[in-house]
Amino acid sequence: MMTQVFPVIQGFVVFCVMIVLILMLLRLLANYTDPNPFGTIGRLFYRIKKITDRFVYPVSRAMASMRLDTRLAPLIVIFGFIVAGYFLIQFFSDLFVMIDGVAMNIVAGSIAKIAGHILYGLLSIYSLMIVLRIIMSWIGNPSGKFVRFLIRLTEPVLGPFRRMIPMIGPFDISPIVVIFIFRFLQMAVAAVLLA
């Protein structure tokens, strides 16, 4: 039943990623063409720059600290949104499979499969919280309530990994490692409890 709603959500996520893609490609074009700021195209590119600054500026700042060409920051933002869109689509897919699986197995009376679907879904939800924390650390207010909520929930798992895994320049890769470990755990849960 819930899997019928999934294509609508998937389409919405793809639509949002496509809008970001178009805006960032236009900004990238503006970065390299440097249009007349008083012309029609220049004013359009200026509006696009104002709209996209909250996403591009943190990436540009990080690139500048590594002495990279900051004009390429929109490309990094595009890839970031594509990855975030992937995890969001994966999250909803796993969530709906969990809800449908629990509902079907309650009727069938299979305790192992109910536990498997719940574990699988919880790992997906926690992975999404980690991805949201990464995204919000780039674009959100670090002292905001939602960001503090995400930090409070994800830090017990991320903290030990952060201490074990060294940073690569200014980038903390421990969330990526944790997400891959969670994906492996999901595969193990699916193989053992949902087979």
Side-chain angles (χ1 to χ4, degrees):
M1 181 175 80
M2 295 299 290
T3 53
Q4 295 170 349
V5 178
F6 177 70
V8 175
I9 292 173
Q10 183 181 21
F12 178 73
V13 170
V14 170
F15 176 75
C16 290
V17 169
M18 289 303 296
I19 292 207
V20 169
L21 176 83
I22 291 167
L23 289 173
M24 291 301 155
L25 287 176
L26 287 172
R27 180 171 177 141
L28 189 65
L29 181 65
N31 287 348
Y32 282 99
T33 59
D34 196 26
N36 176 4
F38 301 107
T40 306
I41 293 176
R43 286 193 303 266
L44 173 68
F45 281 154
Y46 177 76
R47 285 190 196 113
I48 290 170
K49 181 184 179 309
K50 291 306 250 181
I51 292 169
T52 58
D53 264 350
R54 90 175 314 167
F55 303 110
V56 174
Y57 182 70
V59 175
S60 295
R61 197 173 47 209
M63 290 176 74
S65 71
M66 294 184 294
R67 301 183 194 277
L68 298 172
D69 185 6
T70 58
R71 294 180 298 177
L72 293 174
L75 278 179
I76 304 298
V77 172
I78 288 170
F79 291 128
F81 269 90
I82 289 171
V83 169
Y86 164 76
F87 280 112
L88 201 57
I89 289 170
Q90 191 66 41
F91 163 75
F92 280 111
S93 171
D94 293 343
L95 181 66
F96 292 157
V97 166
M98 178 187 77
I99 292 169
D100 280 348
V102 168
M104 286 188 312
N105 287 300
I106 285 175
V107 172
S110 176
I111 303 288
K113 288 189 178 185
I114 291 170
H117 281 291
I118 290 172
L119 282 172
Y120 195 91
L122 290 176
L123 287 168
S124 292
I125 291 168
Y126 204 83
S127 295
L128 177 66
M129 286 186 211
I130 293 171
V131 171
L132 283 175
R133 177 179 172 176
I134 294 167
I135 293 170
M136 294 305 289
S137 71
W138 293 344
I139 62 172
N141 179 6
S143 61
K145 289 181 182 179
F146 184 65
V147 175
R148 284 185 301 192
F149 170 74
L150 288 175
I151 290 171
R152 206 169 33 249
L153 286 178
T154 58
E155 193 58 28
V157 173
L158 290 178
F161 282 94
R162 192 176 299 111
R163 287 188 290 275
M164 289 187 299
I165 301 168
M167 292 182 65
I168 298 178
F171 299 107
D172 176 18
I173 62 164
S174 60
I176 297 169
V177 172
V178 170
I179 288 170
F180 281 119
I181 289 171
F182 278 17
R183 292 300 296 166
F184 173 76
L185 289 174
Q186 284 180 306
M187 290 187 292
V189 166
V192 173
L193 296 176
L194 301 177

